[in-house]
Amino acid sequence: MEPASGLRLDHNHKLSLKEFPYIIRWRDDRCKRCGKCTAVCPVKAIEATVKVQRFVKSEGPVPTPSAVRNITHVVEQVTDMERYCTGCGTCTLVCPNEAIEPEFNPQNKFLHYKNKGGDGYKRGGRRNDPSLSTLDRLKFTRISMLTDPALDAGRHEFRVRTLLGRIMNPEDLPLKTNGSILEIDKTRNAFIPPVREIFPIMIGSMSIGALSPPMWEGLAMGVAYLNEVEGLPVVMCSGEGGMSPRLLRSRYLKYFIIQIASGYFGWDEIVRAIPHMVEDPAAIEIKYGQGAKPGDGGLLMAQKVLKLIAKIRGVPQFVDLASPPTHQTKYSIEEAVAKMIQSMSMAWGFRVPVYPKISGTKTARAVLNNLARNPYAAALCIDGEDGGTGAAYNVSMDKMGHPIASNLRECYLDLVKQGKQNELPLIAAGGIGKKGNLAANAAALIMLGASGVAIGKYIMQAAADCFGDEYNRCNLCNTGKCPRGITTQDPKLYRRLDSDKVAERVVEVFKAADVELRKIFAPMGRSTELPIGMSDGLSIDDPAMAERLGISYAC
Amino acid sequence: MCRLAAVTSKDYISPMEPILALETMKEGHDGSGLGLTLKNLGGEFEKLKKYPVLSGICSKEGKKILDDFMKKQGFKLKHEWAPKTKPMKNIQARDFYFARAYEYPAEYKNKTMQEKEELLMNTRLAIRKIGEPNESIFAFSFYPDVITIKEVGDPLEVANFFGLDKDGLKAKIVLAQGRQNTNYAIYLYACHPFFIQGYCSMTNGENTAFVPIREFLMGRGFPGYIGYNSDSEVFTHILHYTARQLKFPITYYKDVITPLKATEIEQRPDKDALRLIKQSLRPLCIDGPNMVIGFMPDGTCFMVHDSKKLRPGVVGGVKGKYALMSEECGVDSAIPKRDRSKDIFPMKYDMVIISPDAQEVKVWNQLQG
């Protein structure tokens, strides 16, 4: 019998486990009580506790049941919403006896409660939408079959390359004929914009600070290896937050796109390094928006601003680093964006392509048309709603933004109408490889009109085993407690990540994507140039989507 | 696969020569049509070289509309060629086939050739627009010294239907295509060769890069870049765009449709220009499998194919007469008396260029420039 005073008689004030997104399945019979799971849990969602248990025993030749009360040690999931199980499964990884595992609870009412203190739920990761994206519904249906021979992905020469940079209208090329050959007419003093030939899949902007040192280093090493050893010109974007001073002064800088965002973090160091740069960067990306949290600024939580990050960014340690939603100088696109592009171009003597990145939005075409008229704008990167982030409000991630497929397509078709589809490359991002189909998603976007694509979450998953998925698994990037050591600045956590292994995986991922792209392009009879805008090659199993994208419907 | 036969000669030849060559290449069902373009006309057109010739087909109603339209535009009929058609079992005869030489409207007599070319093309496009909805008029070309003839059926039967074996129609350059229709409904505007302002080409194979190329061309703001009932029409328009609009020398056609790799470009003396051309004309890169035979306004003929050489071609002949064919047996038919060991099978980087009047054959190598 319970004591009559001092304790409440019921537990109605508590949440039941049914409200939680993940429920821990713990097996008493397998657990040896080593405590590894409770020690490793990044959110302390489980704890070791003791319980009194009643056992019925019977010994002897005839049943003589008797009850015994034992005190036992158990692992229990807490019902505190601040310590909810994120489903990361680190406990399962460390358990020697497969005694513990989180299980997704589709009936959860997590979002009903995750606003304690009057603040909305913040997290890292991606949009929690496990449904099949448009990109994954696109199929390649124009197969070369007898009327024209399909190519051989293993034998024919393939050039899976794209151009990053403003491309001149052929009618404006400063050329003159000299006998039977053409040469540059220097008397015309024409500005020839810088253009890079790159692999069409690039690593999108993820900052030092958002990523742990071994993660960023692993990506950077992988990219350098791909370029120098494999001859695959993959580029990667720094994200906002600068780059290592040594890297800025190294010959490897040419494989990196440096990002400038509204907080200008890291730019003191970058500007100081410009006179000492031995190579130009691949490009400069001006971030105006991010697909995961459109219209929202960047945020690096104080707990991630450790010594190294503080030094690179030129800020004090342990302060929240918020980048405002807009650039403070951004008065209007006509004036300020043009000036920003101009200033960045000027900083590198107009030798580096400078392009803006915006989040997917219905207003993308307005931005695009403005850039189309600016001969210094090198490209436009559009980041769709399925993009990822290190920290944002859940509502921004789940509900704000525009899917990339139709946004990219309408922008491309707008350029086609103006005959400028080759002049201003479109880079698509957000949700590429969401279900693991990296090459297929990339190829589909290319055929819808993208010149290239950028990936973030995919490479974190594929190269560093990020736990995150569309069921809100893990998504702790904002807390600095990444159990994989990917998005943390805590040495105890990032020790778990081996930068060499990350680099190795980056190389494997891109080599495999290169092969897979060929396997898509070869049966479609394309090998010499990227099939940008080859929309006749695509179909979708939904008539409305087909109409919206201007492709065929196939079922 | 379409069969292609072209002959360029210093003397006037009968269009039957390439048509008979087509016949030697015939394999299986092959009766989707015949397209013929004749340049440097002989016979009854020999003395009419400066007058633009409108080639086409019309119905009875179409004829009246055409006459009224041309009159209204100020064109005066100078001469008309109409074939004496012979009924054939498999050919559905249309009302009137014609090639009419006109006098320019009075206000154009002293204008430049470029202005005249604009007028001729715009007139052809206007006629096409009037006649296309009900197929009352087809206008294939409207240009001095050029005739285009097209009809659906087996090429040899079509030639007999037109009585080309007996007709005195002759030319120094004849491009003939035996069409093997695959993807698209049989439609006369989809039939090669295609012609625009002095530039003409025909192609075999499928053009896998058709849509991006078409979109790029249509975005040039040039009124003649329309149609595209066949994915091969873009080859003619790329030629026109490269040579006439951008004023690039002929060899750059190869550089546009099959651009070199970045490392290969570095070996070329014109590498700086080439790099820019490759970037700016990236959407015009073809991926084959295609072989293209064409001619330029000055009578230069050429053969080129995609970089994978999945549709090979052959050029052979003697000084003063060369044949450009999709198969060797076609060359044997057109020019049997030649040194076969000197036949040219252009490779990946090659462009075969034959000078006007078939005086000289040059194999231009893209790697060396």
Side-chain angles (χ1 to χ4, degrees), chain A residues 177-483:
Chain A
T177 315
N178 181 4
S180 62
I181 68 165
L182 289 168
E183 57 185 30
I184 307 274
D185 183 357
K186 294 206 169 109
T187 60
R188 277 161 70 177
N189 263 337
F191 167 60
I192 300 174
V195 176
R196 311 280 192 250
E197 193 175 81
I198 60 169
F199 188 68
I201 303 174
M202 60 177 87
I203 299 181
S205 40
M206 293 181 286
S207 70
I208 297 184
L211 299 184
S212 65
M215 183 63 195
W216 209 92
E217 198 177 81
L219 293 178
M221 286 195 298
V223 164
Y225 186 93
L226 282 164
N227 278 277
E228 306 243 322
V229 181
E230 299 291 342
L232 215 57
V234 177
V235 293
M236 120 176 207
C237 181
S238 69
E240 185 192 22
M243 285 169 66
S244 132
R246 263 184 70 195
L247 186 54
L248 286 169
R249 289 163 176 79
S250 78
R251 68 183 177 87
Y252 303 106
L253 183 62
K254 61 186 170 191
Y255 309 135
F256 293 85
I257 296 168
I258 311 179
Q259 190 188 71
I260 182 162
S262 55
Y264 306 141
F265 292 120
W267 274 79
D268 263 1
E269 197 63 54
I270 293 167
V271 170
R272 266 188 255 277
I274 290 177
H276 309 286
M277 286 180 182
V278 292
E279 286 281 355
D280 290 327
I284 305 295
E285 180 177 278
I286 308 171
K287 178 192 163 188
Y288 290 108
Q290 188 176 345
K293 45 176 173 178
D296 210 353
L299 179 63
L300 189 69
M301 309 280 269
Q303 56 266 37
K304 292 175 86 170
V305 187
L306 272 79
K307 196 176 167 189
L308 173 75
I309 305 308
K311 181 156 187 337
I312 291 175
R313 296 195 174 204
V315 293
Q317 286 187 63
F318 304 113
V319 289
D320 274 343
L321 299 182
S323 304
T326 61
H327 289 245
Q328 301 304 302
T329 54
K330 198 171 75 180
Y331 167 67
S332 71
I333 185 166
E334 290 82 5
E335 192 237 16
V337 176
K339 271 188 190 165
M340 189 95 176
I341 292 173
Q342 204 78 0
S343 313
M344 286 293 129
S345 300
M346 206 179 295
W348 275 273
F350 292 87
R351 299 185 309 271
V352 177
V354 181
Y355 68 89
K357 170 185 164 181
I358 59 167
S359 55
T361 160
K362 284 184 177 177
T363 62
R365 281 166 64 198
V367 177
L368 176 83
N369 283 308
N370 190 278
L371 296 175
R373 294 184 188 99
N374 177 353
Y376 298 97
L380 175 64
C381 177
I382 306 172
D383 191 12
E385 62 167 356
D386 274 324
T389 180
Y393 277 93
N394 180 71
V395 69
S396 295
M397 269 193 260
D398 278 6
K399 301 296 173 197
M400 304 293 294
H402 199 297
I404 187 62
S406 64
N407 214 196
L408 181 276
R409 183 69 178 149
E410 66 190 359
C411 283
Y412 178 76
L413 291 177
D414 222 37
L415 288 174
V416 167
K417 256 189 231 159
Q418 302 171 53
K420 290 189 171 185
Q421 66 269 42
N422 187 47
E423 292 171 40
L424 192 74
L426 295 171
I427 302 162
I432 294 136
K434 186 175 171 179
K435 296 270 183 202
N437 304 310
L438 174 63
N441 292 172
L445 279 164
I446 287 166
M447 291 187 192
L448 288 175
S451 277
V453 301
I455 55 166
K457 300 180 306 292
Y458 178 88
I459 200 73
M460 292 164 92
Q461 291 168 320
D465 312 325
C466 164
F467 289 131
D469 66 13
E470 284 70 32
Y471 293 91
N472 205 23
R473 186 177 173 197
C474 197
N475 286 347
L476 289 168
C477 332
N478 59 322
T479 63
K481 288 177 182 163
C482 173

Side-chain angles (χ1 to χ4, degrees), chain A residues 112-187:
Chain A
H112 292 66
Y113 304 107
K114 192 74 180 95
N115 47 17
K116 211 175 167 190
D119 199 9
Y121 170 39
K122 286 196 285 275
R123 62 181 178 88
R126 78 277 293 132
R127 200 162 71 96
N128 285 324
D129 178 4
S131 64
L132 209 56
S133 70
T134 310
L135 295 184
D136 278 315
R137 294 176 70 171
L138 288 164
K139 290 181 174 64
F140 308 101
T141 45
R142 194 226 171 273
I143 311 298
S144 298
M145 197 54 59
L146 292 173
T147 59
D148 54 311
L151 305 175
D152 185 336
R155 185 170 62 90
H156 285 113
E157 184 187 59
F158 279 75
R159 295 183 213 163
V160 186
R161 298 287 184 270
T162 193
L163 300 176
L164 176 63
R166 186 54 172 256
I167 295 153
M168 293 183 82
N169 181 327
E171 282 141 61
D172 298 334
L173 289 175
L175 299 176
K176 62 174 182 187
T177 315
N178 181 4
S180 62
I181 68 165
L182 289 168
E183 57 185 30
I184 307 274
D185 183 357
K186 294 206 169 109
T187 60

Side-chain angles (χ1 to χ4, degrees), chain A residues 526-549:
Chain A
R526 298 302 307 268
S527 66
T528 318
E529 275 294 335
L530 213 56
I532 298 169
M534 186 185 160
S535 52
D536 59 325
L538 288 175
S539 296
I540 199 160
D541 57 356
D542 180 289
M545 283 180 170
E547 193 187 341
R548 181 80 176 87
L549 297 174

